[in-house]
Amino acid sequence: MRISGRLSYELLDNGGINWDEAYESLVDGLGVLLASGTPLPSEQLGEAQWLLTIVRTAAVDKKALYRISELVVEWVGLNPEVMPNPLPFTGR
């Protein structure tokens, strides 16, 4: 949830002014997370990957960001147990 919120805040509230490789890494990492644990169903995972491709370019696309947040909530529902974060810390 924090990653999708951070991406949304940067793009919607800051207009992407701070966008750099660290944010791109967060986008890539979110795609990895959504495919981990009990992954989203293949159709939703494909949709998430497509939306993340749009966001990775720092596109200020409100609908894409909102839908990514919805898909993250669905992933959390499939993975209610706390698990270690498989992603390296990016300093963000």
Side-chain angles (χ1 to χ4, degrees):
M1 290 301 306
R2 292 186 71 199
I3 295 173
S4 65
R6 188 165 289 190
L7 296 173
S8 293
Y9 181 78
E10 177 55 31
L11 292 172
L12 298 177
D13 295 340
N14 292 337
I17 191 125
N18 301 308
W19 196 266
D20 59 13
E21 291 178 6
Y23 281 101
E24 291 174 5
S25 292
L26 286 174
V27 172
D28 296 341
L30 186 55
V32 170
L33 285 172
L34 294 175
S36 70
T38 301
L40 290 173
S42 61
E43 184 176 308
Q44 290 178 327
L45 188 57
E47 178 187 9
Q49 296 297 343
W50 177 72
L51 293 168
L52 289 169
T53 300
I54 293 169
V55 171
R56 193 173 196 288
T57 65
V60 181
D61 186 326
K62 189 182 290 187
K63 288 182 181 180
L65 290 163
Y66 288 168
R67 181 62 182 146
I68 288 168
S69 293
E70 291 173 344
L71 291 168
V72 167
V73 169
E74 291 186 37
W75 181 86
V76 169
L78 294 170
N79 297 277
E81 298 295 321
V82 176
M83 65 174 110
N85 183 351
L87 305 176
F89 178 68
T90 64
R92 291 261 178 214

